Amino acid sequence: MSRILLVAAGTVCLFALAVQAATNDYALKPSAVADGIYVLPGLTENFSRENGGNIVNTGFIVGSDGVIVIDTGPSRDYGRQQRASIATVTPLPVRQVYITHAHPDHFLGDQAYSPDLIAALPGTSAAIRKNGELLSDNLYRLVGGWMIGTEVVAPSQDAVSGPVTIAGRKLKLMAAAGHTDSDLMIFDEATKTLFTGDLVFHRRAATTPNADIARWLATLDEIDKLDFVVLVPGHGPVVRDHAAIAETRDYLRWLTRSLREAAAEGLDMAEVMNLPLPERFQSLSVVRTEYTRSVSHLYPAIELEALPPVVKSTP
Ligand SMILES: [Zn+2]
C-alpha cells in the first residue's frame, strides 16, 4: 500500500473512532431493586462494538449522606455515565467504590471516581495492576471506540471482610473466590440485598478464564446459605430467590463433569467443542461461545489429569 493510501486509511480509522466517541451512549437507567438500592442492568451478550461492553450489572446504594458504588463498568465513558445516572437519583456524593473482581467490564470505569475512594480485595488490586493494561487492550479490540480515553486505575484501598458502615448503610463485605482467585461480595443489612459479582450468573453462561471451578462450587454452597432477599448477579436479571445460584452451580458441575468424561474417552479439543449442549442450557445467552472458550482454557489441564500415570521401568 502506498504511503498516501496508508495515511488515508489511518485518517478513516481515526474518523471512525471519533464518530464512535461522539455517540458513546450506554443509555444507563437505574433500576430500584430495594430501598435505596439500584442496579444498572447490562445486556446478557458478549462484548461487541454495538454494546460497547455494557454486558455487566453495576449498582449503587444510597445512604444518609452519600453513595456506595459497586463496580464501575467497562470504560471511562461508562463510569462517567454511571456517575451521571446516580445524579438523576440523588445529589449525594459518592463516598465509596467497591470493585468485585479484576475483570475489565467491572473496573475500567474507575477513572470517573477519585482513586482514593476505590476499594477492592488485595488480590483484585494486584491482578488489576498486573493485567489491567492487557485486559484494557483486549477490550479495546472487542468494542473499539467506546474505550477512547480509558486508562487503568487500580484501587487504592483494601476491602476487608466483615461489617462496615458507610453513609449510614450497614454493609457486610465478604471475601470469596472461584470465579477468580479474589471475588468480593457486598451485602446490605437493611434490605438483605446481596451483590455477588460474577460468582453468580443468571440466564447467561458463566465465564471461566480465571476460574477454579471446585472453589467456585464450594463458594456457591456458602452463598446458598446466606439469608438474602434480593440477589444481584454479575450478569443477568436480579432475582429474589436461589434460582440463579442453582443455575450457575448446575452449569459449572455439568461443565466439569462433561470435560472429564470427554478426556476419559480420549476426545480431542475440537471434538469436545462440537459436543451437543444439554437442552436445559440452550436458553442461556451466549452459551455456545462461552462453552467453546471454557473448553479452550480448561480442557488441556483436564486432559493431563486423565492421562494414565507414567510407569518408569528400571533398566
Ligand atoms: Zn468476571
Side-chain angles (χ1 to χ4, degrees):
M1 200 185 288
S2 74
R3 241 181 105 182
I4 291 171
L5 275 176
L6 272 175
V7 169
T11 307
V12 168
C13 282
L14 284 175
F15 178 72
L17 287 176
V19 168
Q20 175 73 75
T23 57
N24 285 353
D25 182 2
Y26 287 98
L28 302 179
K29 291 197 175 50
S31 165
V33 297
D35 185 22
I37 312 270
Y38 296 83
V39 173
L40 299 167
L43 299 162
T44 52
E45 298 176 353
N46 280 316
F47 294 118
S48 74
R49 284 169 191 255
E50 287 69 44
N51 63 39
N54 182 16
I55 62 162
V56 59
N57 293 334
T58 67
F60 58 95
I61 302 173
V62 181
S64 54
D65 64 352
V67 177
I68 302 125
V69 174
I70 296 159
D71 284 338
T72 59
S75 68
R76 179 199 66 180
D77 283 358
Y78 181 101
R80 286 178 175 174
Q81 290 170 40
Q82 178 189 54
R83 206 174 168 151
S85 78
I86 294 169
T88 66
V89 171
T90 174
L92 294 172
V94 171
R95 299 261 180 231
Q96 182 80 69
V97 177
Y98 287 116
I99 301 300
T100 59
H101 65 293
H103 280 162
D105 44 334
H106 296 260
F107 72 82
L108 281 172
D110 283 4
Q111 268 167 294
Y113 300 96
S114 170
D116 56 359
L117 296 179
I118 306 174
L121 293 170
T124 299
S125 301
I128 289 173
R129 280 193 292 273
K130 185 175 172 216
N131 305 319
E133 292 298 336
L134 200 69
L135 293 167
S136 172
D137 289 351
N138 192 40
L139 202 49
Y140 209 117
R141 274 189 288 276
L142 293 168
V143 309
W146 294 81
M147 296 291 290
I148 276 179
T150 301
E151 290 168 14
V152 175
V153 176
S156 63
Q157 293 179 27
D158 285 347
V160 179
S161 256
V164 60
T165 301
I166 302 167
R169 299 288 304 217
K170 287 185 178 168
L171 307 176
K172 194 169 159 197
L173 306 183
M174 287 173 274
H179 174 67
T180 68
D181 63 9
S182 185
D183 296 295
L184 177 67
M185 293 189 286
I186 296 110
F187 181 69
D188 175 68
E189 300 274 2
T191 61
K192 296 192 174 193
T193 301
L194 178 66
F195 287 85
T196 65
D198 283 3
L199 289 164
V200 179
F201 283 70
H202 190 35
R203 297 189 194 157
R204 185 209 192 276
T207 64
T208 60
N210 306 110
D212 176 332
I213 292 182
R215 276 178 97 186
W216 193 346
L217 287 167
T219 299
L220 285 170
D221 288 344
E222 295 306 310
I223 299 173
D224 223 359
K225 293 176 198 160
L226 297 175
D227 178 26
F228 62 83
V229 171
V230 180
L231 184 150
V232 183
H235 300 261
V238 172
V239 287
R240 289 168 192 277
D241 57 23
H242 291 235
I245 301 169
E247 182 190 288
T248 307
R249 180 197 284 128
D250 186 23
Y251 180 75
L252 293 175
R253 272 190 189 154
W254 164 79
L255 182 64
T256 324
R257 195 177 55 241
S258 64
L259 295 190
R260 284 203 184 119
E261 284 170 7
E265 289 170 26
L267 301 187
D268 67 29
M269 194 184 281
E271 290 172 312
V272 183
M273 282 178 178
N274 287 314
L275 288 175
L277 302 176
E279 180 71 29
R280 66 187 188 280
F281 299 132
Q282 300 284 351
S283 60
L284 295 182
S285 292
V286 297
V287 67
R288 177 52 73 176
T289 317
E290 290 302 350
Y291 170 73
T292 304
R293 287 178 71 208
S294 291
V295 172
S296 71
H297 54 247
L298 297 175
Y299 198 58
I302 290 174
E303 264 186 312
L304 272 180
E305 275 173 27
L307 286 175
V310 176
V311 180
K312 287 184 182 163
S313 55
T314 45

